[in-house]
Amino acid sequence: MNKNGKIALGCGGAGCLGLVLIVIVTAVLIGTGVVKAPGIYSPNSNSNININVNSNRNSNLNSNANTNDSQNSNSDSTSSSMSDDDKHKLFQAAGITQDNDLILRVIRKIGFGDGTGAGYPQFLQDHGSWAQKNFDFIRSVLTKEKARAYVEEHIND
């Protein structure tokens, strides 16, 4: 092999090696998204963006009314004629509305003040058992609108 043959062989090898290096670099750039490859990238592609918003609203309502009169009047006072079943129905419907003010109003109505009074934990425990036995009622007030209508209709019973 003469001098010119060796030069041609060296240049051809270097050129081939250079080509392989260019292909590898291009593949890495496409894989990482730096370069958009024709046929892989579509300007008409769809993308989905999900945004989750969680809003928690807490409210506390404390009120004390003390008078020297022999009786206080309150339209939400506990009705002694309200059965346990009626209390659970009212409580369930109020919960479905997710209206904190209405829920507090119902809690006062059924005799637990602000939800921390004596007997309230037991009522909540009993409510779970009640709910398991009263699916028909729960289904009847399953929307916020139906639940609110039930509460408004029965809160003054």
Side-chain angles (χ1 to χ4, degrees), residues 28-114:
V28 169
L29 291 175
I30 290 172
T32 59
V34 174
V35 174
K36 305 296 182 196
I40 296 175
Y41 169 74
S42 172
N44 296 326
S45 66
N46 293 326
S47 63
N48 292 323
I49 298 173
N50 295 320
I51 299 172
N52 295 320
V53 177
N54 185 5
S55 174
N56 293 319
R57 187 178 119 195
N58 296 319
S59 66
N60 292 320
L61 177 63
N62 295 317
S63 63
N64 295 320
N66 295 319
T67 64
N68 292 330
D69 296 339
S70 61
Q71 87 186 75
N72 286 333
S73 65
N74 184 348
S75 63
D76 290 342
S77 65
T78 304
S79 172
S80 60
S81 64
M82 184 177 272
S83 70
D84 284 343
D85 188 55
D86 290 338
K87 289 178 183 179
H88 285 289
K89 285 179 179 179
L90 203 57
F91 183 75
Q92 180 67 41
I96 291 171
T97 69
Q98 297 179 349
D99 179 339
N100 288 340
D101 295 332
L102 188 60
I103 293 168
L104 288 172
R105 189 173 159 206
V106 166
I107 289 172
R108 284 192 306 270
K109 171 68 178 179
I110 62 178
F112 296 112
D114 62 357

Side-chain angles (χ1 to χ4, degrees), residues 92-146:
Q92 180 67 41
I96 291 171
T97 69
Q98 297 179 349
D99 179 339
N100 288 340
D101 295 332
L102 188 60
I103 293 168
L104 288 172
R105 189 173 159 206
V106 166
I107 289 172
R108 284 192 306 270
K109 171 68 178 179
I110 62 178
F112 296 112
D114 62 357
T116 60
Y120 187 65
Q122 183 62 49
F123 177 79
L124 290 178
Q125 187 175 0
D126 294 344
H127 187 71
S129 300
W130 175 90
Q132 289 176 350
K133 298 172 189 168
N134 290 279
F135 285 127
D136 290 337
F137 171 77
I138 294 170
R139 275 193 291 263
S140 74
V141 294
L142 206 50
T143 66
K144 289 180 181 182
E145 295 78 18
K146 289 180 181 179

